[in-house]
Amino acid sequence: SVTFCLLLCIPWGSSCPPSCQCTERAGAKAVLCSSRHLEEIPKDIPKDAVFLKLDANSITRIPSNAFRHLSHLEELDLSRNAIEKIDRAAFKGVAAGLRTLDLSSNRIRNVPKEALLALNAKLRLANNPWHCECALQEVLWEARLDPDSVQDITCHTAPREEYVGKPLLQVLDAGVNFCSVRQRTTDVAMFITMFGWFAMVIIYVVCYVRHNREDTCKHVDYLKSLPSTQGHAE
């Protein structure tokens, strides 16, 4: 972005990760780690970093609390990596202050909605092999997505073949609701479970009544087999 281009290259000395370049402009500190063959997020990023570029690396996962110590972070670029997994608490600690988050051009199929819905940042999620499902639909409706990249959120896989290859927004505009599909599946499972319990109760009651009836019949037969009082008096 223009912000990074305008930053003056002023070294920070030993506080800068060895694989990155650290710059400063008007008190806004940036850590530039683009195209450095990184396979994970550096652990020694300065705490007062405002801008962090980790794009064009080989990072595969965003673990929990990965940026928790970066309380001043406003812009985070993780585009063009190999990210497949994002933990639920991946952005814990920076959710309130983060203004932009770029996750485009990775290998993300699905993401815990809690990880993104907690953010106030403008999100870029384009060009990932998304599996279109309820969680992604909720992210699309509720998160602050960059409007220029929404059309590039495409269904790489989906519950029905006809949705594959289409922009998620186009599928949803056609009236598809992935959350209602999940709700129907849940309702059917719940109905089957309740029917199973009900059937078990009925079987138990029937068996209980039958068992009591058999006991009653045996008791009656036993009483009938006893010599009558009248017989003894004669």
Side-chain angles (χ1 to χ4, degrees):
S1 67
V2 177
T3 305
F4 290 107
C5 295
L6 294 176
L7 290 173
L8 299 176
C9 297
I10 302 175
W12 291 355
S14 59
S15 63
C16 188
S19 56
C20 305
Q21 179 185 12
C22 295
T23 67
E24 182 175 351
R25 178 179 178 269
K29 299 185 178 181
V31 182
L32 312 181
C33 311
S34 306
S35 305
R36 300 301 173 96
H37 307 290
L38 298 174
E39 296 183 358
E40 59 182 21
I41 297 162
K43 292 180 171 54
D44 49 355
I45 297 170
K47 293 181 179 181
D48 52 355
V50 176
F51 308 104
L52 176 57
K53 285 184 68 70
L54 291 163
D55 56 304
N57 284 292
S58 302
I59 298 168
T60 59
R61 178 190 174 199
I62 315 266
S64 295
N65 303 308
F67 309 101
R68 189 170 186 174
H69 65 293
L70 305 177
S71 57
H72 299 280
L73 195 62
E74 295 182 6
E75 294 187 18
L76 176 57
D77 187 354
L78 288 160
S79 63
R80 296 183 296 147
N81 274 279
I83 298 168
E84 295 181 357
K85 181 174 176 53
I86 298 176
D87 291 356
R88 290 180 184 275
F91 305 107
K92 187 174 182 179
V94 296
L98 205 60
R99 292 191 290 109
T100 62
L101 172 60
D102 194 342
L103 290 167
S104 59
S105 301
N106 277 283
R107 299 176 185 173
I108 307 169
R109 295 190 68 250
N110 47 57
V111 60
K113 63 180 181 180
E114 297 84 357
L116 298 182
L117 293 184
L119 299 172
N120 294 318
K122 183 182 291 185
L123 302 175
R124 296 184 66 88
L125 304 175
N127 301 317
N128 281 287
W130 290 108
H131 174 64
C132 287
E133 58 181 348
C134 181
L136 183 59
Q137 175 180 317
E138 290 179 339
V139 167
L140 186 67
W141 289 146
E142 299 178 35
R144 290 185 60 233
L145 297 183
D146 185 335
D148 295 333
S149 68
V150 171
Q151 283 293 342
D152 293 323
I153 301 176
T154 304
C155 297
H156 185 75
T157 56
R160 296 178 61 173
E161 187 68 28
E162 61 192 90
Y163 307 145
V164 175
K166 293 184 178 179
L168 176 60
L169 193 60
Q170 179 183 330
V171 173
L172 296 178
D173 284 345
V176 177
N177 189 334
F178 294 106
C179 295
S180 67
V181 170
R182 186 183 69 174
Q183 185 62 46
R184 284 200 298 270
T185 303
T186 303
D187 290 345
V188 170
M190 187 177 296
F191 174 77
I192 292 173
T193 301
M194 290 179 64
F195 180 79
W197 278 106
F198 182 74
M200 288 176 63
V201 170
I202 294 297
I203 293 171
Y204 174 79
V205 171
V206 170
C207 292
Y208 180 79
V209 171
R210 183 176 297 173
H211 179 70
N212 281 357
R213 183 182 296 171
E214 290 176 355
D215 286 348
T216 302
C217 291
K218 289 178 181 178
H219 186 63
V220 170
D221 290 341
Y222 172 74
L223 292 177
K224 286 180 178 180
S225 69
L226 293 175
S228 64
T229 307
Q230 185 180 357
H232 282 296
E234 294 175 353

